[in-house]
Amino acid sequence: MTAQSTPDVTPQNAPVRVAVLGCGVVGTEVVRLLTTQTADLAARVGAPLELVGVAVRNLATPRDPVVDPALLTDDAEVLVDRADIVVEVVGGIEPARTLLLRALRGGASVVTANKALLAEDGPTLYAAADAAGVDIYFEAAVAGAIPLVRPVRESLTGDRVRRVLGIVNGTTNFVLDRMATDGLDLDAAVAEAQELGYAEADPTADVEGYDAAAKAAILASLAFHTRVSLADVDRQGITGVTAEDVAWAARTGHVVKLLAIAEHRPADQDGPEGVQVRVHPALVPQDHPLAGVRGAFNAVFVEAEAAGELMFYGRGAGGAPTASAVLGDLVSAARHRVHGGRGPAESFYAALPVLPARAARTRYQIRLDVTDRPGVLAQVATVLAEHGVSIEAVRQSVQPAEAVARLVITTHEATEAALSATVAAIAEHDSVREVVSVLRVEGV
């Protein structure tokens, strides 16, 4: 898209005025870097960066000593109007959206870490930036310090991205890792994550997959030049994952991970061309690089037509890592204020349809408790065949005292629609006592 106006260029040697919205963990680290690396930042930008204020909700809240109390204000609108660049680390939809639109329309560039806002209403912000001829940067919104947005948005812009697959939420990765290594149940692992500061007091955004879904929407929009919102993402969190699921995963050579998956699907016999985006727990083979991502780390695979497979790995959250990404964006935006030029605008020329969840193609691992008698496995196999789903592997264990057999069936790839119908039909079979667990298998 073409800008409607040209941004003001800061006079040579004049400082670039920076306002920070929010002074939590990330905001404090941003202030720390701005105040302790002034000379280096000025050299990189070509002009000094002047921190003109930090907007907070409550002036009485105790702050880190690195934050000069004289910089604090509870009047964010006035502060925004004084800035050349506004850094937003408040989070949430409002008042962040209103403040950022005010900044953009007033001619200030924006640096934000607000994944929820970008996933819900990014196009409105991009349009405002384009109309004003200013920058909007958001590297910190996805995967913290890991350079991911810029490579997808800029470095791969001459290539065709086919798929993005990765772990983009450190909290859930820590929880699932603890369940795998020490056999903790979900609640105990979440409690430990909260004690260590990886999870909020209310962990819903993490464990229900909302955080990962917002990041998946942003990555899909960038990778496939198509507007994808949070509402377009098929989302399933980890609250249904049990310690038994994790233990069985290990027995079958897998690790359970919460994955964000965005892929371009060409037109074929299963449906039209489009983009499919989903977040869900999945079984990852133990020899896949994602299986070895431990603790609160993130890792993302990008599969491109010419570049092949690229992997980005690092700390996906935390004050210092996220602030590092914010400062990288801030330097880029400030350089443009000093020397002219603009960062990339929104690219949505492809305008591909976002396909429903049933269009995805994947594998399943289905765990069943069945009556222990001859012929049951053949009956279950017949149900799968009737729905066009083939079996890759079967594992069986028997509990003689209860006359129950546990079947673990791994399927070949099929559409989600076919697999879901298969599972529903299996559950209704007379010989099936319970469908214990159904997990997708990814990364094969």
Side-chain angles (χ1 to χ4, degrees):
M1 297 184 68
T2 303
Q4 301 300 309
S5 61
T6 303
D8 294 332
V9 175
T10 300
Q12 194 163 4
N13 298 323
V16 178
R17 299 166 298 173
V18 179
V20 176
L21 307 182
C23 197
V25 174
V26 177
T28 298
E29 288 299 320
V30 169
V31 171
R32 186 188 309 279
L33 292 174
L34 282 171
T35 54
T36 60
Q37 300 185 17
T38 52
D40 284 345
L41 291 171
R44 294 166 192 167
V45 169
L49 296 180
E50 179 188 356
L51 180 58
V52 296
V54 181
V56 296
R57 290 189 178 92
N58 187 350
L59 293 171
T61 300
R63 308 286 172 188
D64 188 295
V66 74
V67 182
D68 183 351
L71 291 171
L72 299 177
T73 177
D74 57 5
D75 194 334
E77 291 187 352
V78 170
L79 178 61
V80 162
D81 293 343
R82 296 172 53 205
D84 299 311
I85 302 175
V86 173
V87 174
E88 185 268 313
V89 287
V90 175
I93 307 302
E94 291 293 353
R97 173 167 44 198
T98 297
L99 291 170
L100 293 188
L101 287 173
R102 184 185 184 99
L104 294 167
R105 290 164 180 165
S109 295
V110 160
V111 174
T112 178
N114 196 330
K115 53 192 169 287
L117 177 56
L118 291 169
E120 177 169 305
D121 202 16
T124 300
L125 298 175
Y126 306 144
D130 196 52
V134 295
D135 288 331
I136 177 166
Y137 281 102
F138 47 91
E139 183 67 65
V142 181
I146 303 173
L148 181 59
V149 169
R150 198 179 300 264
V152 174
R153 194 184 192 192
E154 300 179 44
S155 303
L156 293 174
T157 193
D159 206 339
R160 290 183 178 177
V161 176
R162 293 173 173 169
R163 194 172 194 236
V164 179
L165 168 74
I167 299 163
V168 296
N169 182 273
T171 299
T172 52
N173 199 59
F174 174 86
V175 168
L176 292 170
D177 188 34
R178 295 293 292 125
M179 292 174 72
T181 56
D182 278 14
L184 300 182
D185 65 21
L186 180 75
D187 290 341
V190 170
E192 183 175 337
Q194 290 169 321
E195 290 173 6
L196 294 172
Y198 294 136
E200 301 289 341
D202 179 359
T204 301
D206 294 320
V207 299
E208 292 290 358
Y210 289 103
D211 175 86
K215 295 170 181 176
I218 295 168
L219 288 174
S221 299
L222 297 174
F224 306 121
H225 307 279
T226 294
R227 287 176 170 172
V228 178
S229 72
L230 180 60
D232 294 320
V233 181
D234 180 54
R235 174 194 55 79
Q236 179 185 345
I238 65 168
T239 52
V241 177
T242 66
E244 186 181 16
D245 291 329
V246 175
W248 266 102
R251 292 174 67 178
T252 58
H254 298 88
V255 177
V256 181
K257 299 291 186 183
L258 181 71
L259 297 183
I261 303 168
E263 54 192 347
H264 171 258
R265 297 212 58 83
D268 57 22
Q269 70 275 14
D270 294 322
E273 179 186 15
V275 175
Q276 210 285 318
V277 191
R278 60 192 192 273
V279 167
H280 53 70
L283 298 172
V284 177
Q286 289 177 342
D287 60 356
H288 192 284
L290 288 178
V293 178
R294 305 291 301 277
F297 278 74
N298 285 187
V300 178
F301 266 85
V302 178
E303 300 171 12
E305 190 172 288
E309 291 185 346
L310 307 171
M311 182 173 174
F312 302 84
Y313 171 83
R315 294 189 181 277
T322 305
S324 170
V326 169
L327 263 290
D329 282 349
L330 177 56
V331 167
S332 295
R335 283 174 177 164
H336 293 152
R337 303 294 300 201
V338 174
H339 303 292
R342 279 192 63 197
E346 182 191 19
S347 173
F348 59 96
Y349 73 90
L352 294 169
V354 180
L355 304 176
R358 65 179 181 274
R361 294 186 64 86
T362 187
R363 295 169 170 83
Y364 270 7
Q365 187 180 95
I366 308 165
R367 285 194 291 124
L368 309 170
D369 280 348
V370 301
T371 303
D372 183 23
R373 65 172 184 243
V376 171
L377 176 57
Q379 293 169 355
V380 171
T382 298
V383 174
L384 271 77
E386 288 172 349
H387 288 81
V389 178
S390 61
I391 296 175
E392 179 182 23
V394 177
R395 180 185 292 255
Q396 179 174 332
S397 63
V398 179
Q399 303 171 37
E402 300 177 20
V404 172
R406 169 66 53 83
L407 296 181
V408 181
I409 300 171
T410 304
T411 73
H412 285 291
E413 188 178 83
T415 64
E416 289 270 358
L419 289 165
S420 296
T422 301
V423 172
I426 289 173
E428 294 176 357
H429 200 281
D430 292 343
S431 299
V432 176
R433 296 194 177 186
E434 182 184 6
V435 177
V436 179
S437 175
V438 178
L439 286 170
R440 299 169 178 89
V441 181
E442 301 284 353
V444 178

